[in-house]
PDB file of all heavy atoms in Angstrom:
ATOM      1  N   ALA A 255      18.555  52.064  25.044  1.00 96.00           N
ATOM      2  CA  ALA A 255      19.905  51.973  24.441  1.00 96.00           C
ATOM      3  C   ALA A 255      20.362  53.244  23.781  1.00 96.00           C
ATOM      4  O   ALA A 255      21.583  53.454  23.549  1.00 96.00           O
ATOM      5  CB  ALA A 255      19.960  50.832  23.405  1.00 96.00           C
ATOM      6  N   VAL A 256      19.477  54.222  23.554  1.00 98.00           N
ATOM      7  CA  VAL A 256      19.867  55.442  22.915  1.00 98.00           C
ATOM      8  C   VAL A 256      19.742  56.663  23.865  1.00 98.00           C
ATOM      9  O   VAL A 256      19.788  57.824  23.388  1.00 98.00           O
ATOM     10  CB  VAL A 256      19.070  55.716  21.632  1.00 98.00           C
ATOM     11  CG1 VAL A 256      19.482  54.683  20.591  1.00 98.00           C
ATOM     12  CG2 VAL A 256      17.562  55.537  21.875  1.00 98.00           C
ATOM     13  N   ASN A 257      19.645  56.410  25.152  1.00 98.00           N
ATOM     14  CA  ASN A 257      19.603  57.488  26.119  1.00 98.00           C
ATOM     15  C   ASN A 257      18.596  58.609  25.783  1.00 98.00           C
ATOM     16  O   ASN A 257      18.933  59.792  25.692  1.00 98.00           O
ATOM     17  CB  ASN A 257      20.999  58.112  26.310  1.00 98.00           C
ATOM     18  CG  ASN A 257      21.855  57.293  27.133  1.00 98.00           C
ATOM     19  OD1 ASN A 257      21.451  56.605  28.052  1.00 98.00           O
ATOM     20  ND2 ASN A 257      23.198  57.230  26.810  1.00 98.00           N
ATOM     21  N   ALA A 258      17.350  58.247  25.569  1.00 98.00           N
ATOM     22  CA  ALA A 258      16.345  59.184  25.138  1.00 98.00           C
ATOM     23  C   ALA A 258      15.019  58.992  25.892  1.00 98.00           C
ATOM     24  O   ALA A 258      14.731  57.960  26.409  1.00 98.00           O
ATOM     25  CB  ALA A 258      16.085  59.024  23.639  1.00 98.00           C
ATOM     26  N   LEU A 259      14.253  60.119  25.997  1.00 98.00           N
ATOM     27  CA  LEU A 259      12.935  60.156  26.457  1.00 98.00           C
ATOM     28  C   LEU A 259      12.086  60.817  25.350  1.00 98.00           C
ATOM     29  O   LEU A 259      12.534  61.685  24.691  1.00 98.00           O
ATOM     30  CB  LEU A 259      12.804  61.011  27.743  1.00 98.00           C
ATOM     31  CG  LEU A 259      13.601  60.581  28.969  1.00 98.00           C
ATOM     32  CD1 LEU A 259      13.422  61.553  30.069  1.00 98.00           C
ATOM     33  CD2 LEU A 259      13.287  59.142  29.422  1.00 98.00           C
ATOM     34  N   SER A 260      10.839  60.340  25.198  1.00 98.00           N
ATOM     35  CA  SER A 260       9.950  61.013  24.242  1.00 98.00           C
ATOM     36  C   SER A 260       8.574  61.208  24.917  1.00 98.00           C
ATOM     37  O   SER A 260       8.184  60.557  25.861  1.00 98.00           O
ATOM     38  CB  SER A 260       9.810  60.103  22.997  1.00 98.00           C
ATOM     39  OG  SER A 260       9.240  58.850  23.269  1.00 98.00           O
ATOM     40  N   ARG A 261       7.884  62.206  24.321  1.00 98.00           N
ATOM     41  CA  ARG A 261       6.568  62.520  24.763  1.00 98.00           C
ATOM     42  C   ARG A 261       5.602  62.536  23.589  1.00 98.00           C
ATOM     43  O   ARG A 261       5.897  63.104  22.540  1.00 98.00           O
ATOM     44  CB  ARG A 261       6.521  63.923  25.475  1.00 98.00           C
ATOM     45  CG  ARG A 261       5.189  64.278  26.122  1.00 98.00           C
ATOM     46  CD  ARG A 261       5.246  65.731  26.658  1.00 98.00           C
ATOM     47  NE  ARG A 261       5.077  66.685  25.559  1.00 98.00           N
ATOM     48  CZ  ARG A 261       5.727  67.865  25.577  1.00 98.00           C
ATOM     49  NH1 ARG A 261       6.542  68.222  26.488  1.00 98.00           N
ATOM     50  NH2 ARG A 261       5.510  68.706  24.549  1.00 98.00           N
ATOM     51  N   TRP A 262       4.434  61.867  23.736  1.00 98.00           N
ATOM     52  CA  TRP A 262       3.528  61.664  22.654  1.00 98.00           C
ATOM     53  C   TRP A 262       2.128  62.085  23.103  1.00 98.00           C
ATOM     54  O   TRP A 262       1.771  61.966  24.269  1.00 98.00           O
ATOM     55  CB  TRP A 262       3.417  60.184  22.220  1.00 98.00           C
ATOM     56  CG  TRP A 262       4.703  59.594  21.838  1.00 98.00           C
ATOM     57  CD1 TRP A 262       5.749  59.246  22.613  1.00 98.00           C
ATOM     58  CD2 TRP A 262       5.163  59.386  20.519  1.00 98.00           C
ATOM     59  NE1 TRP A 262       6.792  58.741  21.870  1.00 98.00           N
ATOM     60  CE2 TRP A 262       6.464  58.809  20.620  1.00 98.00           C
ATOM     61  CE3 TRP A 262       4.567  59.508  19.238  1.00 98.00           C
ATOM     62  CZ2 TRP A 262       7.154  58.415  19.422  1.00 98.00           C
ATOM     63  CZ3 TRP A 262       5.268  59.093  18.111  1.00 98.00           C
ATOM     64  CH2 TRP A 262       6.509  58.632  18.260  1.00 98.00           C
ATOM     65  N   ARG A 263       1.351  62.611  22.138  1.00 98.00           N
ATOM     66  CA  ARG A 263      -0.070  62.926  22.386  1.00 98.00           C
ATOM     67  C   ARG A 263      -0.933  61.856  21.725  1.00 98.00           C
ATOM     68  O   ARG A 263      -0.914  61.637  20.566  1.00 98.00           O
ATOM     69  CB  ARG A 263      -0.486  64.288  21.813  1.00 98.00           C
ATOM     70  CG  ARG A 263      -1.824  64.767  22.205  1.00 98.00           C
ATOM     71  CD  ARG A 263      -1.871  64.949  23.723  1.00 98.00           C
ATOM     72  NE  ARG A 263      -3.234  65.304  24.152  1.00 98.00           N
ATOM     73  CZ  ARG A 263      -3.596  65.481  25.366  1.00 98.00           C
ATOM     74  NH1 ARG A 263      -2.659  65.326  26.376  1.00 98.00           N
ATOM     75  NH2 ARG A 263      -4.771  65.811  25.739  1.00 98.00           N
ATOM     76  N   LEU A 264      -1.705  61.125  22.554  1.00 98.00           N
ATOM     77  CA  LEU A 264      -2.592  60.071  22.085  1.00 98.00           C
ATOM     78  C   LEU A 264      -3.905  60.633  21.608  1.00 98.00           C
ATOM     79  O   LEU A 264      -4.396  61.475  22.217  1.00 98.00           O
ATOM     80  CB  LEU A 264      -2.850  59.031  23.175  1.00 98.00           C
ATOM     81  CG  LEU A 264      -1.860  57.959  23.440  1.00 98.00           C
ATOM     82  CD1 LEU A 264      -2.197  57.120  24.680  1.00 98.00           C
ATOM     83  CD2 LEU A 264      -1.700  56.974  22.277  1.00 98.00           C
ATOM     84  N   ALA A 265      -4.364  60.052  20.567  1.00 98.00           N
ATOM     85  CA  ALA A 265      -5.787  60.383  20.130  1.00 98.00           C
ATOM     86  C   ALA A 265      -6.696  59.869  21.116  1.00 98.00           C
ATOM     87  O   ALA A 265      -6.422  58.973  21.960  1.00 98.00           O
ATOM     88  CB  ALA A 265      -6.090  59.730  18.764  1.00 98.00           C
ATOM     89  N   ARG A 266      -7.900  60.427  21.163  1.00 95.00           N
ATOM     90  CA  ARG A 266      -8.915  60.118  22.222  1.00 95.00           C
ATOM     91  C   ARG A 266      -9.232  58.579  22.277  1.00 95.00           C
ATOM     92  O   ARG A 266      -9.476  58.015  23.333  1.00 95.00           O
ATOM     93  CB  ARG A 266     -10.150  60.888  22.024  1.00 95.00           C
ATOM     94  CG  ARG A 266     -10.011  62.431  22.249  1.00 95.00           C
ATOM     95  CD  ARG A 266     -11.337  63.143  21.995  1.00 95.00           C
ATOM     96  NE  ARG A 266     -12.275  62.847  23.017  1.00 95.00           N
ATOM     97  CZ  ARG A 266     -12.447  63.535  24.137  1.00 95.00           C
ATOM     98  NH1 ARG A 266     -11.609  64.610  24.433  1.00 95.00           N
ATOM     99  NH2 ARG A 266     -13.327  63.275  25.069  1.00 95.00           N
ATOM    100  N   ASP A 267      -9.254  57.969  21.046  1.00 97.00           N
ATOM    101  CA  ASP A 267      -9.546  56.519  20.981  1.00 97.00           C
ATOM    102  C   ASP A 267      -8.240  55.733  21.026  1.00 97.00           C
ATOM    103  O   ASP A 267      -8.328  54.443  20.889  1.00 97.00           O
ATOM    104  CB  ASP A 267     -10.381  56.220  19.781  1.00 97.00           C
ATOM    105  CG  ASP A 267      -9.613  56.494  18.455  1.00 97.00           C
ATOM    106  OD1 ASP A 267      -8.524  56.994  18.533  1.00 97.00           O
ATOM    107  OD2 ASP A 267     -10.208  56.127  17.387  1.00 97.00           O
ATOM    108  N   GLY A 268      -7.124  56.324  21.165  1.00 98.00           N
ATOM    109  CA  GLY A 268      -5.849  55.549  21.234  1.00 98.00           C
ATOM    110  C   GLY A 268      -5.408  54.872  19.939  1.00 98.00           C
ATOM    111  O   GLY A 268      -4.560  54.108  19.905  1.00 98.00           O
ATOM    112  N   SER A 269      -6.028  55.357  18.820  1.00 98.00           N
ATOM    113  CA  SER A 269      -5.695  54.713  17.482  1.00 98.00           C
ATOM    114  C   SER A 269      -4.417  55.356  16.933  1.00 98.00           C
ATOM    115  O   SER A 269      -3.837  54.789  15.968  1.00 98.00           O
ATOM    116  CB  SER A 269      -6.827  54.859  16.559  1.00 98.00           C
ATOM    117  OG  SER A 269      -7.094  56.246  16.289  1.00 98.00           O
ATOM    118  N   SER A 270      -4.017  56.525  17.357  1.00 98.00           N
ATOM    119  CA  SER A 270      -2.885  57.244  16.825  1.00 98.00           C
ATOM    120  C   SER A 270      -2.193  58.001  17.931  1.00 98.00           C
ATOM    121  O   SER A 270      -2.790  58.324  18.923  1.00 98.00           O
ATOM    122  CB  SER A 270      -3.244  58.153  15.623  1.00 98.00           C
ATOM    123  OG  SER A 270      -4.087  59.204  16.091  1.00 98.00           O
ATOM    124  N   ALA A 271      -0.926  58.381  17.698  1.00 98.00           N
ATOM    125  CA  ALA A 271      -0.178  59.227  18.598  1.00 98.00           C
ATOM    126  C   ALA A 271       0.808  60.059  17.833  1.00 98.00           C
ATOM    127  O   ALA A 271       1.411  59.591  16.822  1.00 98.00           O
ATOM    128  CB  ALA A 271       0.590  58.291  19.609  1.00 98.00           C
ATOM    129  N   ARG A 272       0.980  61.311  18.304  1.00 98.00           N
ATOM    130  CA  ARG A 272       1.875  62.237  17.629  1.00 98.00           C
ATOM    131  C   ARG A 272       3.044  62.620  18.542  1.00 98.00           C
ATOM    132  O   ARG A 272       2.783  62.937  19.717  1.00 98.00           O
ATOM    133  CB  ARG A 272       1.115  63.502  17.165  1.00 98.00           C
ATOM    134  CG  ARG A 272       1.973  64.494  16.420  1.00 98.00           C
ATOM    135  CD  ARG A 272       1.112  65.546  15.781  1.00 98.00           C
ATOM    136  NE  ARG A 272       0.176  65.073  14.832  1.00 98.00           N
ATOM    137  CZ  ARG A 272       0.480  64.710  13.570  1.00 98.00           C
ATOM    138  NH1 ARG A 272       1.765  64.880  13.162  1.00 98.00           N
ATOM    139  NH2 ARG A 272      -0.390  64.260  12.712  1.00 98.00           N
ATOM    140  N   LEU A 273       4.254  62.515  18.004  1.00 98.00           N
ATOM    141  CA  LEU A 273       5.433  62.948  18.812  1.00 98.00           C
ATOM    142  C   LEU A 273       5.386  64.401  19.087  1.00 98.00           C
ATOM    143  O   LEU A 273       5.272  65.253  18.132  1.00 98.00           O
ATOM    144  CB  LEU A 273       6.682  62.546  18.065  1.00 98.00           C
ATOM    145  CG  LEU A 273       8.007  62.906  18.767  1.00 98.00           C
ATOM    146  CD1 LEU A 273       8.188  62.115  20.092  1.00 98.00           C
ATOM    147  CD2 LEU A 273       9.159  62.701  17.817  1.00 98.00           C
TER     148      LEU A 273
END
Side-chain angles (χ1 to χ4, degrees):
V256 290
N257 281 326
L259 302 175
S260 62
R261 187 185 78 215
W262 302 77
R263 189 65 185 174
L264 276 174
R266 294 178 70 90
D267 64 355
S269 62
S270 65
R272 182 171 298 279
L273 179 66

